Amino acid sequence: MIEQTANLSLNMAHLSAGIAIGFGAIGAGLGIGLATKGLMDAVSRQPEVAGKAFGFFLLGAALSEACALYAFVIAFLLTGK
Amino acid sequence: MSEIGHWVWSTNLNGNNLSFNLDTIFTMWLAMAILIAVAFIATRKLEIIPSKFQAVCEGVMNFISDTMNSFLPEKGAKHVPLVASLFLFILTANLIGQIPLRVIHLKSGEFAAPTNDINVTAGLAIIVLVYYVGLGFIKKKGKFLLHEFSISGIIMMFVEILEMVTRPLSLAIRLFANILAGEILVTMMLGIFAYLLPLPIMLFELLVAFIQATVFMMLTMTYISSAEGEH
């Protein structure tokens, strides 16, 4: 009985790690998509700002990607149990 | 494969347990030694007409001070030493993870980027926290926390205090998780198919090393300018 409970909690930890990284990735995907949309809008309106806008795009993409990585840390902590 | 496991050396000091991650300490000292050596070589025999190496180094420093000046015009120059050291250290540390030092097998852990240890990134984030909070208190005295004596001012004070926790936390976890995720990704690709498949990922990790160093630097600049400039 005790062994079964320990097994179940380990399985649940792995399941919750999957759920955590999955939901985290949704937000980061939306964020990077929106950042790319903004970059495309800016470049198609004013092609001469392409270099400068790409720098800001990389910064914004890295910032929104970080949200997925917070989820990754949580998932890693859950699987490491 | 033990990505998150470190080569821990524990000791006991007056009943307190101390543990050191030896692999991280070694790679961190390696990064520092490379930086010191490059800085020493770069500042010998400076000339008006720069050699190629001097031109590259001047270009890097110009990039940093230009970015600092765009955040804090005219007052940015005195913060450049801190920001530049953070940027160069993080960049060197990230790139160290890409050279195959990890072929040297340890009992546990591996020689990878020192920034894949949260202790290193937390230390860097705490340096930034102490710097900008100290700067804010020196420049604005009590007004750094309490902008105006009213209800909204008091509420904003609590938000400022909350930010003192969340800012270094996000700085530390962003850098740590990016580097660790990259290394785990490369390890997984090695496990799937060891030839050629990890190469694009490793190239992408080179890009991530630059981007993360730049992001850390720019966020530090934002915090410094928010502490020194007008709100």
Side-chain angles (χ1 to χ4, degrees):
Chain A
M1 186 65 200
I2 292 169
E3 211 172 275
Q4 258 184 353
T5 318
N7 240 338
L8 184 67
S9 82
L10 191 69
N11 289 343
M12 282 296 164
H14 283 143
L15 181 64
S16 57
I19 293 173
I21 190 68
F23 275 98
I26 291 175
L30 280 177
I32 295 177
L34 278 175
T36 316
K37 173 182 171 290
L39 177 73
M40 287 298 130
D41 282 355
V43 171
S44 56
R45 271 183 205 161
Q46 276 175 297
E48 65 270 16
V49 298
K52 208 175 173 187
F54 190 68
F56 285 115
F57 162 72
L58 279 184
L59 191 70
L63 284 178
S64 62
E65 195 189 40
C67 295
L69 288 161
Y70 299 150
F72 165 78
V73 170
I74 300 296
F76 209 89
L77 289 177
L78 283 169
T79 52
K81 273 215 272 194
Chain B
M1 198 56 66
S2 56
E3 291 92 0
I4 206 157
H6 286 285
W7 181 15
V8 182
W9 179 69
S10 297
T11 183
N12 208 313
L13 187 73
N14 300 333
N16 298 313
N17 276 321
L18 293 174
S19 57
F20 298 91
N21 295 347
L22 291 184
D23 50 350
T24 308
I25 289 177
F26 176 80
T27 44
M28 198 172 73
W29 284 349
L30 185 65
M32 280 148 62
I34 290 172
L35 264 188
I36 291 170
V38 170
F40 193 78
I41 294 166
T43 48
R44 296 306 99 181
K45 286 189 281 181
L46 293 178
E47 285 164 27
I48 305 278
I49 301 162
S51 60
K52 274 181 189 166
F53 182 57
Q54 192 188 336
V56 169
C57 297
E58 281 180 1
V60 172
M61 287 311 291
N62 268 338
F63 162 69
I64 298 170
S65 59
D66 282 354
T67 324
M68 187 75 231
N69 279 326
S70 73
F71 276 98
L72 205 61
E74 294 169 15
K75 290 186 287 186
K78 66 180 183 215
H79 305 304
V80 167
L82 174 96
V83 174
S85 344
L86 280 174
F87 174 74
L88 292 174
F89 176 71
I90 293 171
L91 184 60
T92 322
N94 289 350
L95 289 179
I96 273 184
Q98 299 306 317
I99 57 176
L101 263 182
R102 54 177 81 184
V103 295
I104 305 169
H105 281 287
L106 305 176
K107 280 181 294 186
S108 62
E110 56 184 1
F111 287 137
T115 37
N116 77 356
D117 188 345
I118 194 156
N119 299 312
V120 173
T121 56
L124 295 173
I126 288 169
I127 291 172
V128 173
L129 172 74
V130 170
Y131 189 81
Y132 91 76
V133 170
L135 187 74
F137 273 115
I138 288 169
K139 289 284 170 188
K140 297 184 189 164
K141 307 286 188 306
K143 279 196 171 177
F144 176 59
L145 279 181
L146 196 61
H147 303 305
E148 50 182 304
F149 202 77
S150 64
I151 300 290
S152 64
I154 290 169
I155 292 170
M156 284 310 290
M157 181 179 80
F158 287 114
V159 175
E160 290 270 337
I161 292 170
L162 186 66
E163 272 188 344
M164 283 181 198
V165 179
T166 56
R167 279 173 170 183
L169 192 70
S170 69
L171 268 185
I173 294 180
R174 177 177 302 117
L175 183 55
F176 154 74
N178 263 294
I179 303 302
L180 185 70
E183 284 179 352
I184 290 176
L185 200 58
V186 170
T187 316
M188 277 171 61
M189 289 295 149
L190 277 172
I192 294 170
F193 186 63
Y195 305 96
L196 292 179
L197 188 59
L199 266 183
I201 309 286
M202 289 168 90
L203 273 177
F204 179 66
E205 288 311 310
L206 288 183
L207 184 67
V208 166
F210 278 94
I211 291 176
Q212 286 310 313
T214 316
V215 165
F216 198 100
M217 179 184 78
M218 289 186 122
L219 285 174
T220 307
M221 287 169 177
T222 318
Y223 300 158
I224 288 174
S225 65
S226 80
E228 182 157 2
E230 302 297 318
H231 265 280

